[in-house]
Each structure stands twice: as structure tokens, then as C-alpha cells.
Amino acid sequence: MCEPISIGLALASAAANFAMASSQAAQQEKVANAQAQEAYKAANDRVLAEYAESNRQIGEAQQQEIENASDLISQARNDLAVLVVADNGALSDNALGTIYGASYYTGSADIQRLDENTDKQIASIESNKGAAQQNYLNSVNAAKNQTQNVLLQTNASRNSAMLQIATSTASAGAGAYRHQQTLKAIKQS
């Protein structure tokens, strides 16, 4: 039953299976690596866009702060000018000084609140950058893990095909040995 032709065919079949498994594994590895590179690029592009948007929002908040501070200063100047024109000497220097001081304090407090609110807004926008960075890391790690899983699967496929060759070789060798032993026993009888 175990002739040299069937032994040869079993070994050739196992070798063909190994070649096919290796070819498929190489193709799968190539695709997985290309997909990982695409995922890395997409994650990088996304984080750069999110950073750019955050920076734009920060610039906008800072510009708005400057405009609001300028408006507050202009309003304070106008209020003082109206007061000076309307005063016409009716207020004492002491009373006028108190009004100027109160106006200065109110304007300073308004600008301080404006500055604090802008700082809070910028801190909030900066936290978006942290979230973008974490999303980037998560995307890259997911792509890396997926690629590693494909590589492990293809390696297992190659090993399985190699074991099939070893099993076929051992089986063919055992069959050839039995065949030889059977022929030897027949010749001796």
C-alpha cells in the first residue's frame, strides 16, 4: 500500500500545502502592515488637525480677550471724559479722586475677570489637545495590536503547514519501513 509513488505524492502534497500557506501568510502580512501604516497616518493626520483646531480656538479666544479689554478701556475713558465734562467744577478734588479711583478699580476688576475667563477657556481647549493625543495613542495601539494578531496567525499557519510536512514525512517513512518489512517477511517465508 505504501509504494514509493504514494510516498512521493504525500510528500509533494504536504510541500505544496506549505508553499501555499507560506504564500498566503506573506500576502496577509503585507496587507496587515499596509493597513497599520494607513491607520498610523490617519491617526497622525487626525491629531494634527485637532491640534490645529485647538490652536485656532486659542488664538481666537486670545484675540477676543484683547478686543474685550480694549472695549472696557475705551468705555472707562469715555465714562471719565463724560464725568470730567459734566463736572464743571461742581465736585471737590477729593470727590473727583474717589470717583476716578472707583472707576479705575472697576475697570481693573473687569479686565482681571476677563483675563481669568480667557485662561479658563484656553485651559479647556488645551484639554482637548490631551484628549486628541490619547485618541492618537489608542488608534496607533489598536492598529499595532491588530497587525501583531495577523502576524501571529500567519506564523501559526506556517507552523501548521511545516508540521504537516513533518507528519507526512514520518508517516511515509513508517509506511516505507512497514512495506520493506512486509517484503522481507514474504521473501523469507
Side-chain angles (χ1 to χ4, degrees):
M1 281 220 188
C2 218
E3 321 167 345
I5 292 176
S6 39
I7 292 171
L9 287 175
L11 292 175
S13 174
N17 285 341
F18 176 75
M20 185 184 314
S22 291
S23 174
Q24 288 173 345
Q27 184 62 27
Q28 288 173 340
E29 289 171 354
K30 184 178 177 182
V31 168
N33 284 326
Q35 287 174 337
Q37 291 302 318
E38 288 174 14
Y40 296 156
K41 183 181 180 329
N44 188 56
D45 291 348
R46 188 172 48 253
V47 78
L48 290 176
E50 289 175 8
Y51 267 50
E53 175 59 17
S54 291
N55 289 335
R56 184 197 65 75
Q57 290 175 0
I58 288 170
E60 188 176 279
Q62 290 171 332
Q63 183 63 35
Q64 188 63 45
E65 177 187 21
I66 291 169
E67 290 173 12
N68 290 344
S70 178
D71 291 347
L72 286 171
I73 291 168
S74 294
Q75 183 62 41
R77 284 185 185 151
N78 287 341
D79 291 348
L80 286 175
V82 167
L83 181 64
V84 169
V85 169
D87 173 36
N88 227 2
L91 295 174
S92 69
D93 287 343
N94 193 18
L96 197 54
T98 301
I99 293 172
Y100 284 147
S103 177
Y104 176 76
Y105 173 78
T106 301
S108 294
D110 288 345
I111 290 176
Q112 179 62 33
R113 279 191 295 275
L114 178 64
D115 189 47
E116 289 172 359
N117 288 338
T118 301
D119 288 346
K120 288 176 188 175
Q121 187 179 6
I122 289 172
S124 173
I125 295 168
E126 286 289 344
S127 72
N128 292 340
K129 286 183 177 182
Q133 180 65 26
Q134 188 59 51
N135 287 339
Y136 168 80
L137 293 174
N138 291 344
S139 296
V140 167
N141 284 335
K144 184 178 91 175
N145 290 340
Q146 185 176 6
T147 301
Q148 286 176 341
N149 287 341
V150 169
L151 295 178
L152 289 172
Q153 289 171 347
T154 58
N155 192 36
S157 178
R158 278 192 188 110
N159 288 341
S160 175
M162 185 58 85
L163 284 173
Q164 186 179 6
I165 287 177
T167 302
S168 294
T169 302
S171 178
Y177 177 76
R178 280 192 310 273
H179 182 68
Q180 293 239 335
Q181 291 301 318
T182 302
L183 288 177
K184 189 177 178 183
I186 291 174
K187 285 181 184 178
Q188 288 178 352
S189 28

